[in-house]
C-alpha cells in the first residue's frame, strides 16, 4: 500500500518494512532501470465463461518486483510511468511479454486462449502504438483475435477523432478492443454507438453491491441488455461471490472475472490452474 505525501514523496508499506519513503526522483530512476533489470513481471487473472465455467482468457496485470520495495502494485507506479513517459517502454514490454506467453500456452494445448492487455492513455496516444502492437503479434505468432486491448473511456474521449481512427485500425488487424471500467467515466449511450468496440467490461463498483443495491443491479442488467443489442461481448469485473456470479449470469452476461474465480496469479501458478483442466477453476 502506498500513499503520496505532497507531490514528491511516495511511501511504501511492504511485509518486511514499514513506511519507507522514497523521493519521487529516486523512484523514477528505479523505474527507469526496472525493465533492464527484469524487475517487471506479469500476473494473470483468469476470465471465465459463465456457461462452461472455464477459463477462456486472462488479463495481464503488471507488478514491479523491486528488491527493496517488494511487489509494487500498478496503482503505485503506472501514474508515475504515465507522467514521465516511461509508460511507452513499459507498455511495449507488457505487450511483448503477454503475447509471447499466451502463444506459448496456446501451443501447449490451449489454442483459443486469449489475453487482455491494458493500454494507458499516453500509450494509446503515441503514434508508434499500432506498430508496436503489430510487432508483438508478428514476433509472438499470436493470432490477432486472441489479443484484447483494454482502453478506458477517458483514454478514448481525450481525443475522439484520433481514437476512432486508432480503434478502427486496431480492429482491422483483427484485434479485439475492450472498454475497461465501464460506468466509471462519462458513459453516455452515444459513446457505445460511436466508438468501434468489441467487448465491454462492467466496472467492479457495480458488481460489488449487486445483491444489496437494486439500483446497481438495474444498471448492470440494463448495460448487459444494451450490449446484446449492440453485439458487444460483456465481461463483469470484480465478481467476489458465487451469488454475484449467478446473478450476473442470470442477467445474460457471458463472461466474468474476479476473486471468486481467482486472484491474479503468477505465471507458474496460472499455468498450473490452466493445465488442471478437469478440476474446478476455484483456487
Ligand atoms: P484494471 O485493468 O481494471 O484491472 C482490474 C483490477 O482489479 C486489478 O488490480 C485486479 O487485481 C483487481 N481485481 C480483479 N478482481 C477483483 C475482485 O474480485 N475484487 C477486487 N477488489 N479487485 C479485483 P491491479 O492488478 O492492482 O491493477 C490495477 C490497475 O492497474 C488495472 O485496473 C489497470 O488499470 C492498471 N494496470 C495493470 N496492469 C497494467 C499494465 O500492464 N499497463 C497499464 N497501462 N495499466 C495496468
Ligand atoms: Mg483492465
Ligand atoms: Mg477494470
Ligand atoms: Mg481499473
Amino acid at each position: 500500500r502506498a500513499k503520496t505525501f505532497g507531490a514528491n514523496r511516495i511511501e511504501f508499506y511492504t511485509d518486511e518494512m514499514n513506511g519507507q519513503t522514497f523521493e519521487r526522483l529516486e523512484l523514477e530512476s528505479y523505474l527507469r532501470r526496472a525493465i533492464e533489470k527484469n524487475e517487471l513481471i506479469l500476473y494473470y487473472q483468469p476470465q471465465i465463461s459463465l456457461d462452461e465455467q472455464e477459463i477462456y482468457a486472462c488479463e495481464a496485470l503488471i507488478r514491479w518486483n523491486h528488491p527493496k520495495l517488494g511487489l509494487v502494485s500498478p496503482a503505485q507506479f503506472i501514474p508515475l510511468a504515465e507522467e514521465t513517459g516511461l509508460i511507452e517502454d513499459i507498455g511495449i514490454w507488457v505487450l511483448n511479454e503477454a503475447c509471447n506467453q499466451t502463444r506459448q500456452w496456446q501451443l501447449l494445448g490451449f489454442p483459443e486462449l486469449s489475453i487482455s492487455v491494458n493500454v494507458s492513455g499516453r500509450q494509446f496516444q503515441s503514434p508508434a502504438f499500432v506498430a508496436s502492437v503489430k510487432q508483438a503479434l508478428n514476433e509472438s505468432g499470436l493470432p490477432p483475435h486472441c489479443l484484447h486491448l483494454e482502453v478506458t473511456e477517458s483514454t478514448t474521449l481525450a481525443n475522439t477523432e484520433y481514437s476512432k481512427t486508432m480503434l478502427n485500425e486496431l480492429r482491422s488487424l483483427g484485434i479485439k478492443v475492450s472498454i475497461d471500467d465501464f460506468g466509471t467515466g462519462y458513459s453516455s449511450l452515444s459513446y457505445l454507438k460511436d466508438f468501434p468496440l468489441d467487448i465491454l467490461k462492467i466496472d467492479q463498483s457495480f458488481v460489488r453491491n449487486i445483491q444489496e443495491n437494486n439500483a446497481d443491479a438495474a444498471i448492470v442488467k440494463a448495460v448487459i441488455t444494451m450490449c446484446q443489442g449492440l453485439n458487444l461481448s460483456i465481461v463483469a469485473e470484480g465478481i467476489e461471490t458465487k451469488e454475484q456470479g449467478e446473478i450476473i449470469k442470470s442477467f445474460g452476461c457471458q463472461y466474468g472475472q474476479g476473486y471468486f474465480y481467482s486472484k491474479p496469479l503468477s505465471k507458474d501458478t496460472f499455468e498450473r490452474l490452466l493445465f488442471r483442466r478437469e478440476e474446478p477453476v476455484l483456487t
Side-chain angles (χ1 to χ4, degrees), residues 59 118 150 152 180-181 184 203-204 237:
E59 178 171 3
N118 291 284
E150 298 193 359
T152 62
D180 202 0
D181 304 338
T184 59
D203 191 65
Q204 50 190 60
E237 300 194 83

Side-chain angles (χ1 to χ4, degrees), residues 111-175:
E112 283 303 314
L113 186 71
S114 293
I115 182 92
S116 293
V117 176
N118 291 284
V119 178
S120 78
R122 182 154 176 175
Q123 196 185 352
F124 186 78
Q125 306 297 335
S126 157
F129 180 61
V130 173
S132 61
V133 173
K134 277 188 195 163
Q135 194 176 356
L137 287 173
N138 284 338
E139 285 177 7
S140 64
L142 187 76
H145 73 274
C146 297
L147 177 60
H148 304 172
L149 293 179
E150 298 193 359
V151 295
T152 62
E153 291 162 274
S154 56
T155 293
T156 49
L157 289 171
N159 190 346
T160 55
E161 285 317 307
Y162 169 88
S163 295
K164 285 179 198 171
T165 309
M166 187 68 126
L167 295 178
N168 278 321
E169 202 169 330
L170 292 166
R171 291 180 84 216
S172 74
L173 298 174
I175 291 161

Side-chain angles (χ1 to χ4, degrees), residues 216-280:
D216 283 347
I219 289 169
V220 169
K221 196 173 183 176
V223 169
I224 292 168
T225 307
M226 189 170 60
C227 285
Q228 290 165 340
L230 293 166
N231 247 329
L232 291 173
S233 301
I234 316 147
V235 183
E237 300 194 83
I239 297 177
E240 294 189 353
T241 67
K242 190 168 191 279
E243 291 72 28
Q244 288 168 350
E246 282 166 358
I247 294 171
I248 292 279
K249 189 182 165 209
S250 77
F251 288 170
C253 181
Q254 305 140 287
Y255 305 114
Q257 181 179 347
Y259 292 172
F260 173 64
Y261 304 106
S262 169
K263 295 203 165 179
L265 304 170
S266 69
K267 167 190 175 287
D268 289 343
T269 312
F270 179 78
E271 208 164 276
R272 253 177 273 137
L273 182 66
L274 196 60
F275 285 87
R276 212 180 55 185
R277 231 186 176 153
E278 65 286 358
E279 289 176 42

Side-chain angles (χ1 to χ4, degrees), residues 56-155:
Y56 73 97
C58 57
E59 178 171 3
L61 293 160
I62 197 171
R63 274 95 182 89
W64 178 13
N65 193 8
H66 187 274
K68 280 199 255 169
L69 303 174
L71 210 57
V72 184
S73 91
Q76 291 162 30
F77 67 90
I78 292 289
L80 180 68
E82 275 260 315
E83 275 172 53
T84 53
L86 289 170
I87 194 68
E88 294 205 28
D89 285 346
I90 292 175
I92 289 171
W93 178 83
V94 171
L95 267 171
N96 285 312
E97 181 77 8
C99 291
N100 288 333
Q101 182 58 71
T102 306
R103 184 60 187 153
Q104 271 185 39
W105 285 325
Q106 289 187 338
L107 294 173
L108 289 170
F110 299 87
E112 283 303 314
L113 186 71
S114 293
I115 182 92
S116 293
V117 176
N118 291 284
V119 178
S120 78
R122 182 154 176 175
Q123 196 185 352
F124 186 78
Q125 306 297 335
S126 157
F129 180 61
V130 173
S132 61
V133 173
K134 277 188 195 163
Q135 194 176 356
L137 287 173
N138 284 338
E139 285 177 7
S140 64
L142 187 76
H145 73 274
C146 297
L147 177 60
H148 304 172
L149 293 179
E150 298 193 359
V151 295
T152 62
E153 291 162 274
S154 56
T155 293

